[in-house]
Amino acid sequence: MGDFKEITSQEELDQIIKERLSRERAKYSDYEDLKKTKADLEEQINNLNALLEDSKTKATSYDKDIEGLKKKISDYETEKTKLNIGLKNGVPYELISRLKGTNEEEITADARSLSKILKKSQVEMPSPDNEPDTGKNELDKAFFEMAKNFDKE
């Protein structure tokens, strides 16, 4: 610090300031490049954010589609269960869709009760054995015999 030199002219002062400014500018020589890089990165961030929002919208749509498909699968499984239980319990195919219940036990109980009702309401055909003998001819008797044996086969 003992080498201090007094500035006596404007030119000397300008030279010292010029040297100091050029040293400072050298420190920040890549400032314009950094500004450009920053602008590019901000543009990329904005593009990625837009892409993210679009992806979120699509994901929500896909979630709704998946829920709809899961419901369809559940409905098909319920119908299959009703079909299996209904046929197993003797419910006519035309009435199987009317079975009620949300699980196997409920559907089975409904199928059994419907099957009981249907069995009670069926009208039984009279047996040929119970037919009174009205002096039918031999052909009629042969047909009655054939009808009796038809159920046995």
PDB file of all heavy atoms in Angstrom, residues 98-121:
ATOM      1  N   ARG A  98     -84.413 -61.866 -13.988  1.00  0.00           N
ATOM      2  CA  ARG A  98     -85.224 -61.274 -12.931  1.00  0.00           C
ATOM      3  C   ARG A  98     -84.723 -61.623 -11.525  1.00  0.00           C
ATOM      4  O   ARG A  98     -85.269 -61.134 -10.546  1.00  0.00           O
ATOM      5  CB  ARG A  98     -86.678 -61.713 -13.076  1.00  0.00           C
ATOM      6  CG  ARG A  98     -87.277 -61.241 -14.376  1.00  0.00           C
ATOM      7  CD  ARG A  98     -88.756 -61.446 -14.365  1.00  0.00           C
ATOM      8  NE  ARG A  98     -89.325 -60.964 -15.606  1.00  0.00           N
ATOM      9  CZ  ARG A  98     -89.978 -59.827 -15.717  1.00  0.00           C
ATOM     10  NH1 ARG A  98     -90.142 -59.063 -14.669  1.00  0.00           N
ATOM     11  NH2 ARG A  98     -90.470 -59.445 -16.880  1.00  0.00           N
ATOM     12  N   LEU A  99     -83.709 -62.463 -11.456  1.00  0.00           N
ATOM     13  CA  LEU A  99     -83.166 -62.812 -10.143  1.00  0.00           C
ATOM     14  C   LEU A  99     -82.567 -61.575  -9.490  1.00  0.00           C
ATOM     15  O   LEU A  99     -81.951 -60.740 -10.149  1.00  0.00           O
ATOM     16  CB  LEU A  99     -82.107 -63.908 -10.270  1.00  0.00           C
ATOM     17  CG  LEU A  99     -82.604 -65.278 -10.701  1.00  0.00           C
ATOM     18  CD1 LEU A  99     -81.430 -66.226 -10.875  1.00  0.00           C
ATOM     19  CD2 LEU A  99     -83.605 -65.840  -9.711  1.00  0.00           C
ATOM     20  N   LYS A 100     -82.748 -61.457  -8.185  1.00  0.00           N
ATOM     21  CA  LYS A 100     -82.276 -60.289  -7.433  1.00  0.00           C
ATOM     22  C   LYS A 100     -81.158 -60.703  -6.499  1.00  0.00           C
ATOM     23  O   LYS A 100     -81.094 -61.834  -6.052  1.00  0.00           O
ATOM     24  CB  LYS A 100     -83.422 -59.682  -6.609  1.00  0.00           C
ATOM     25  CG  LYS A 100     -84.623 -59.278  -7.416  1.00  0.00           C
ATOM     26  CD  LYS A 100     -84.334 -58.064  -8.233  1.00  0.00           C
ATOM     27  CE  LYS A 100     -85.596 -57.634  -8.954  1.00  0.00           C
ATOM     28  NZ  LYS A 100     -85.361 -57.176 -10.259  1.00  0.00           N
ATOM     29  N   GLY A 101     -80.328 -59.741  -6.161  1.00  0.00           N
ATOM     30  CA  GLY A 101     -79.261 -59.973  -5.186  1.00  0.00           C
ATOM     31  C   GLY A 101     -77.962 -59.353  -5.651  1.00  0.00           C
ATOM     32  O   GLY A 101     -77.753 -59.122  -6.840  1.00  0.00           O
ATOM     33  N   THR A 102     -77.108 -59.075  -4.678  1.00  0.00           N
ATOM     34  CA  THR A 102     -75.812 -58.465  -4.995  1.00  0.00           C
ATOM     35  C   THR A 102     -74.656 -59.430  -4.788  1.00  0.00           C
ATOM     36  O   THR A 102     -73.544 -59.140  -5.178  1.00  0.00           O
ATOM     37  CB  THR A 102     -75.571 -57.215  -4.119  1.00  0.00           C
ATOM     38  OG1 THR A 102     -75.682 -57.595  -2.753  1.00  0.00           O
ATOM     39  CG2 THR A 102     -76.567 -56.115  -4.445  1.00  0.00           C
ATOM     40  N   ASN A 103     -74.947 -60.566  -4.152  1.00  0.00           N
ATOM     41  CA  ASN A 103     -73.902 -61.568  -3.967  1.00  0.00           C
ATOM     42  C   ASN A 103     -74.496 -62.950  -4.206  1.00  0.00           C
ATOM     43  O   ASN A 103     -75.706 -63.102  -4.407  1.00  0.00           O
ATOM     44  CB  ASN A 103     -73.257 -61.453  -2.581  1.00  0.00           C
ATOM     45  CG  ASN A 103     -74.253 -61.604  -1.455  1.00  0.00           C
ATOM     46  OD1 ASN A 103     -75.162 -62.423  -1.513  1.00  0.00           O
ATOM     47  ND2 ASN A 103     -74.085 -60.807  -0.412  1.00  0.00           N
ATOM     48  N   GLU A 104     -73.653 -63.966  -4.180  1.00  0.00           N
ATOM     49  CA  GLU A 104     -74.086 -65.327  -4.507  1.00  0.00           C
ATOM     50  C   GLU A 104     -75.176 -65.833  -3.575  1.00  0.00           C
ATOM     51  O   GLU A 104     -76.137 -66.470  -4.028  1.00  0.00           O
ATOM     52  CB  GLU A 104     -72.889 -66.282  -4.450  1.00  0.00           C
ATOM     53  CG  GLU A 104     -72.412 -66.701  -5.807  1.00  0.00           C
ATOM     54  CD  GLU A 104     -71.297 -67.721  -5.733  1.00  0.00           C
ATOM     55  OE1 GLU A 104     -71.612 -68.915  -5.526  1.00  0.00           O
ATOM     56  OE2 GLU A 104     -70.144 -67.313  -5.894  1.00  0.00           O
ATOM     57  N   GLU A 105     -75.056 -65.553  -2.290  1.00  0.00           N
ATOM     58  CA  GLU A 105     -76.032 -66.042  -1.321  1.00  0.00           C
ATOM     59  C   GLU A 105     -77.409 -65.457  -1.594  1.00  0.00           C
ATOM     60  O   GLU A 105     -78.422 -66.183  -1.574  1.00  0.00           O
ATOM     61  CB  GLU A 105     -75.588 -65.703   0.119  1.00  0.00           C
ATOM     62  CG  GLU A 105     -74.359 -66.451   0.580  1.00  0.00           C
ATOM     63  CD  GLU A 105     -73.054 -65.868   0.057  1.00  0.00           C
ATOM     64  OE1 GLU A 105     -73.004 -64.666  -0.259  1.00  0.00           O
ATOM     65  OE2 GLU A 105     -72.080 -66.632  -0.061  1.00  0.00           O
ATOM     66  N   GLU A 106     -77.482 -64.152  -1.842  1.00  0.00           N
ATOM     67  CA  GLU A 106     -78.768 -63.505  -2.102  1.00  0.00           C
ATOM     68  C   GLU A 106     -79.389 -64.013  -3.398  1.00  0.00           C
ATOM     69  O   GLU A 106     -80.597 -64.265  -3.466  1.00  0.00           O
ATOM     70  CB  GLU A 106     -78.586 -61.981  -2.170  1.00  0.00           C
ATOM     71  CG  GLU A 106     -78.204 -61.350  -0.846  1.00  0.00           C
ATOM     72  CD  GLU A 106     -77.876 -59.859  -0.972  1.00  0.00           C
ATOM     73  OE1 GLU A 106     -77.939 -59.323  -2.090  1.00  0.00           O
ATOM     74  OE2 GLU A 106     -77.561 -59.254   0.062  1.00  0.00           O
ATOM     75  N   ILE A 107     -78.570 -64.157  -4.424  1.00  0.00           N
ATOM     76  CA  ILE A 107     -79.073 -64.635  -5.716  1.00  0.00           C
ATOM     77  C   ILE A 107     -79.555 -66.078  -5.579  1.00  0.00           C
ATOM     78  O   ILE A 107     -80.618 -66.443  -6.103  1.00  0.00           O
ATOM     79  CB  ILE A 107     -77.993 -64.510  -6.805  1.00  0.00           C
ATOM     80  CG1 ILE A 107     -77.643 -63.040  -7.047  1.00  0.00           C
ATOM     81  CG2 ILE A 107     -78.459 -65.146  -8.104  1.00  0.00           C
ATOM     82  CD1 ILE A 107     -76.422 -62.818  -7.918  1.00  0.00           C
ATOM     83  N   THR A 108     -78.815 -66.906  -4.843  1.00  0.00           N
ATOM     84  CA  THR A 108     -79.209 -68.305  -4.639  1.00  0.00           C
ATOM     85  C   THR A 108     -80.540 -68.376  -3.897  1.00  0.00           C
ATOM     86  O   THR A 108     -81.426 -69.160  -4.271  1.00  0.00           O
ATOM     87  CB  THR A 108     -78.117 -69.072  -3.862  1.00  0.00           C
ATOM     88  OG1 THR A 108     -76.893 -68.996  -4.595  1.00  0.00           O
ATOM     89  CG2 THR A 108     -78.491 -70.508  -3.655  1.00  0.00           C
ATOM     90  N   ALA A 109     -80.691 -67.579  -2.858  1.00  0.00           N
ATOM     91  CA  ALA A 109     -81.946 -67.577  -2.102  1.00  0.00           C
ATOM     92  C   ALA A 109     -83.113 -67.166  -3.002  1.00  0.00           C
ATOM     93  O   ALA A 109     -84.188 -67.784  -2.954  1.00  0.00           O
ATOM     94  CB  ALA A 109     -81.834 -66.631  -0.904  1.00  0.00           C
ATOM     95  N   ASP A 110     -82.910 -66.165  -3.817  1.00  0.00           N
ATOM     96  CA  ASP A 110     -83.967 -65.713  -4.732  1.00  0.00           C
ATOM     97  C   ASP A 110     -84.283 -66.792  -5.763  1.00  0.00           C
ATOM     98  O   ASP A 110     -85.452 -67.043  -6.076  1.00  0.00           O
ATOM     99  CB  ASP A 110     -83.546 -64.415  -5.424  1.00  0.00           C
ATOM    100  CG  ASP A 110     -84.687 -63.763  -6.175  1.00  0.00           C
ATOM    101  OD1 ASP A 110     -85.827 -63.788  -5.663  1.00  0.00           O
ATOM    102  OD2 ASP A 110     -84.448 -63.244  -7.283  1.00  0.00           O
ATOM    103  N   ALA A 111     -83.260 -67.462  -6.286  1.00  0.00           N
ATOM    104  CA  ALA A 111     -83.472 -68.517  -7.280  1.00  0.00           C
ATOM    105  C   ALA A 111     -84.247 -69.680  -6.663  1.00  0.00           C
ATOM    106  O   ALA A 111     -85.150 -70.239  -7.301  1.00  0.00           O
ATOM    107  CB  ALA A 111     -82.134 -68.999  -7.830  1.00  0.00           C
ATOM    108  N   ARG A 112     -83.929 -70.030  -5.440  1.00  0.00           N
ATOM    109  CA  ARG A 112     -84.641 -71.127  -4.780  1.00  0.00           C
ATOM    110  C   ARG A 112     -86.101 -70.783  -4.560  1.00  0.00           C
ATOM    111  O   ARG A 112     -86.990 -71.613  -4.785  1.00  0.00           O
ATOM    112  CB  ARG A 112     -83.955 -71.479  -3.462  1.00  0.00           C
ATOM    113  CG  ARG A 112     -82.660 -72.216  -3.661  1.00  0.00           C
ATOM    114  CD  ARG A 112     -82.003 -72.580  -2.349  1.00  0.00           C
ATOM    115  NE  ARG A 112     -80.742 -73.276  -2.606  1.00  0.00           N
ATOM    116  CZ  ARG A 112     -79.738 -73.302  -1.767  1.00  0.00           C
ATOM    117  NH1 ARG A 112     -79.822 -72.694  -0.605  1.00  0.00           N
ATOM    118  NH2 ARG A 112     -78.635 -73.945  -2.085  1.00  0.00           N
ATOM    119  N   SER A 113     -86.362 -69.556  -4.097  1.00  0.00           N
ATOM    120  CA  SER A 113     -87.756 -69.184  -3.856  1.00  0.00           C
ATOM    121  C   SER A 113     -88.536 -69.112  -5.165  1.00  0.00           C
ATOM    122  O   SER A 113     -89.682 -69.552  -5.240  1.00  0.00           O
ATOM    123  CB  SER A 113     -87.843 -67.855  -3.092  1.00  0.00           C
ATOM    124  OG  SER A 113     -87.355 -66.797  -3.882  1.00  0.00           O
ATOM    125  N   LEU A 114     -87.930 -68.595  -6.223  1.00  0.00           N
ATOM    126  CA  LEU A 114     -88.591 -68.538  -7.530  1.00  0.00           C
ATOM    127  C   LEU A 114     -88.833 -69.947  -8.064  1.00  0.00           C
ATOM    128  O   LEU A 114     -89.898 -70.241  -8.615  1.00  0.00           O
ATOM    129  CB  LEU A 114     -87.751 -67.728  -8.516  1.00  0.00           C
ATOM    130  CG  LEU A 114     -88.339 -67.505  -9.896  1.00  0.00           C
ATOM    131  CD1 LEU A 114     -89.673 -66.789  -9.810  1.00  0.00           C
ATOM    132  CD2 LEU A 114     -87.370 -66.710 -10.761  1.00  0.00           C
ATOM    133  N   SER A 115     -87.873 -70.824  -7.870  1.00  0.00           N
ATOM    134  CA  SER A 115     -88.005 -72.206  -8.326  1.00  0.00           C
ATOM    135  C   SER A 115     -89.159 -72.908  -7.610  1.00  0.00           C
ATOM    136  O   SER A 115     -89.932 -73.640  -8.222  1.00  0.00           O
ATOM    137  CB  SER A 115     -86.692 -72.947  -8.092  1.00  0.00           C
ATOM    138  OG  SER A 115     -86.782 -74.265  -8.540  1.00  0.00           O
ATOM    139  N   LYS A 116     -89.298 -72.658  -6.297  1.00  0.00           N
ATOM    140  CA  LYS A 116     -90.403 -73.251  -5.532  1.00  0.00           C
ATOM    141  C   LYS A 116     -91.752 -72.765  -6.057  1.00  0.00           C
ATOM    142  O   LYS A 116     -92.685 -73.545  -6.211  1.00  0.00           O
ATOM    143  CB  LYS A 116     -90.279 -72.910  -4.046  1.00  0.00           C
ATOM    144  CG  LYS A 116     -89.201 -73.673  -3.321  1.00  0.00           C
ATOM    145  CD  LYS A 116     -89.134 -73.239  -1.876  1.00  0.00           C
ATOM    146  CE  LYS A 116     -87.951 -73.869  -1.169  1.00  0.00           C
ATOM    147  NZ  LYS A 116     -87.814 -73.377   0.215  1.00  0.00           N
ATOM    148  N   ILE A 117     -91.840 -71.470  -6.322  1.00  0.00           N
ATOM    149  CA  ILE A 117     -93.090 -70.901  -6.833  1.00  0.00           C
ATOM    150  C   ILE A 117     -93.431 -71.521  -8.184  1.00  0.00           C
ATOM    151  O   ILE A 117     -94.583 -71.872  -8.446  1.00  0.00           O
ATOM    152  CB  ILE A 117     -92.971 -69.367  -6.953  1.00  0.00           C
ATOM    153  CG1 ILE A 117     -92.872 -68.741  -5.567  1.00  0.00           C
ATOM    154  CG2 ILE A 117     -94.150 -68.789  -7.723  1.00  0.00           C
ATOM    155  CD1 ILE A 117     -92.506 -67.278  -5.575  1.00  0.00           C
ATOM    156  N   LEU A 118     -92.423 -71.650  -9.039  1.00  0.00           N
ATOM    157  CA  LEU A 118     -92.668 -72.207 -10.362  1.00  0.00           C
ATOM    158  C   LEU A 118     -93.094 -73.673 -10.286  1.00  0.00           C
ATOM    159  O   LEU A 118     -93.946 -74.114 -11.055  1.00  0.00           O
ATOM    160  CB  LEU A 118     -91.423 -72.061 -11.238  1.00  0.00           C
ATOM    161  CG  LEU A 118     -91.076 -70.634 -11.643  1.00  0.00           C
ATOM    162  CD1 LEU A 118     -89.729 -70.600 -12.353  1.00  0.00           C
ATOM    163  CD2 LEU A 118     -92.149 -70.045 -12.521  1.00  0.00           C
ATOM    164  N   LYS A 119     -92.504 -74.426  -9.389  1.00  0.00           N
ATOM    165  CA  LYS A 119     -92.876 -75.836  -9.255  1.00  0.00           C
ATOM    166  C   LYS A 119     -94.314 -75.975  -8.778  1.00  0.00           C
ATOM    167  O   LYS A 119     -95.034 -76.861  -9.216  1.00  0.00           O
ATOM    168  CB  LYS A 119     -91.914 -76.548  -8.299  1.00  0.00           C
ATOM    169  CG  LYS A 119     -90.575 -76.831  -8.920  1.00  0.00           C
ATOM    170  CD  LYS A 119     -89.668 -77.556  -7.953  1.00  0.00           C
ATOM    171  CE  LYS A 119     -88.291 -77.752  -8.591  1.00  0.00           C
ATOM    172  NZ  LYS A 119     -87.349 -78.370  -7.656  1.00  0.00           N
ATOM    173  N   LYS A 120     -94.739 -75.108  -7.880  1.00  0.00           N
ATOM    174  CA  LYS A 120     -96.112 -75.163  -7.373  1.00  0.00           C
ATOM    175  C   LYS A 120     -97.119 -74.807  -8.466  1.00  0.00           C
ATOM    176  O   LYS A 120     -98.219 -75.328  -8.492  1.00  0.00           O
ATOM    177  CB  LYS A 120     -96.289 -74.203  -6.198  1.00  0.00           C
ATOM    178  CG  LYS A 120     -95.633 -74.673  -4.935  1.00  0.00           C
ATOM    179  CD  LYS A 120     -95.857 -73.657  -3.828  1.00  0.00           C
ATOM    180  CE  LYS A 120     -95.125 -74.065  -2.562  1.00  0.00           C
ATOM    181  NZ  LYS A 120     -95.259 -73.052  -1.510  1.00  0.00           N
ATOM    182  N   SER A 121     -96.722 -73.891  -9.347  1.00  0.00           N
ATOM    183  CA  SER A 121     -97.675 -73.412 -10.347  1.00  0.00           C
ATOM    184  C   SER A 121     -97.726 -74.286 -11.590  1.00  0.00           C
ATOM    185  O   SER A 121     -98.587 -74.088 -12.437  1.00  0.00           O
ATOM    186  CB  SER A 121     -97.329 -71.982 -10.746  1.00  0.00           C
ATOM    187  OG  SER A 121     -96.105 -71.958 -11.452  1.00  0.00           O
TER     188      SER A 121
END
